[in-house]
Amino acid sequence: MTINELQDPEGLQAALNAQGIKANVTYNPRDKKCAPGRFASADHAYGSPNPRNMTAEQRKEFFRPEHWRSRDVTRAISKDKFRISPNFMRPGETLVLVFRLGNDPGVSWSLGAWLAKAGSSVRPCTLVDEGGSDKEHAKEMAGG
């Protein structure tokens, strides 16, 4: 996929659905994010507890690759392109993509990508203040 401008999320969603990828796409303004709890996550990538508060054994289980498929579904290729690998999705799961205008100089947009559990719904995005820099959010998304 190539993103030139953050407009027409419904068009991108329809294009993905036409390719057999069940998707929910949202474009957010700068400094805004969707309120947490929009969907039941298929893995640990969305809404998980902070691993810093876990025992070593809990962290070992928490970070097993099969618990982080959401991060494998989308990969950045360049500043305006990303690859979707639906082979990491299980039947009935929804790919939730949230694009946001960049907060830092030289960052056009950022992308959050998660998998919603099969059979669950994805509620509409309720915008809330995000705060922080794109670097801080990238570090958070990468697990610290």
Side-chain angles (χ1 to χ4, degrees), residues 66-122:
E66 62 268 24
H67 297 310
W68 294 92
R69 292 178 299 109
S70 290
R71 292 187 182 163
D72 295 326
V73 173
T74 60
R75 290 281 178 210
I77 297 172
S78 67
K79 72 174 198 157
D80 61 350
K81 291 183 183 181
F82 65 98
R83 180 181 319 271
I84 296 175
S85 301
N87 56 312
F88 289 102
M89 296 176 70
R90 294 184 182 149
E93 291 178 336
T94 301
L95 176 59
V96 179
L97 299 175
V98 178
F99 294 86
R100 180 193 37 80
L101 289 171
N103 285 332
D104 293 336
V107 177
S108 301
W109 51 268
S110 67
L111 169 63
W114 303 276
L115 293 172
K117 193 177 284 189
S120 68
S121 63
V122 179

Side-chain angles (χ1 to χ4, degrees), residues 16 20 22-23 28 31 34 37-38 42 46 48 52 54 60 66 70-71 73 85-86 102-103 106 112 115 133 135:
L16 291 169
K22 185 177 175 186
N28 291 347
D31 294 324
C34 297
R38 290 180 61 205
Y46 179 79
S48 293
R52 293 182 199 137
M54 297 177 184
K60 182 179 176 183
E66 62 268 24
S70 290
R71 292 187 182 163
V73 173
S85 301
N103 285 332
L115 293 172
S133 70
K135 288 180 184 177

Side-chain angles (χ1 to χ4, degrees), residues 33-59:
K33 66 179 180 179
C34 297
R38 290 180 61 205
F39 57 91
S41 185
D43 61 15
H44 292 326
Y46 179 79
S48 293
N50 188 332
R52 293 182 199 137
N53 300 327
M54 297 177 184
T55 66
E57 189 61 33
Q58 289 170 326
R59 274 193 302 278

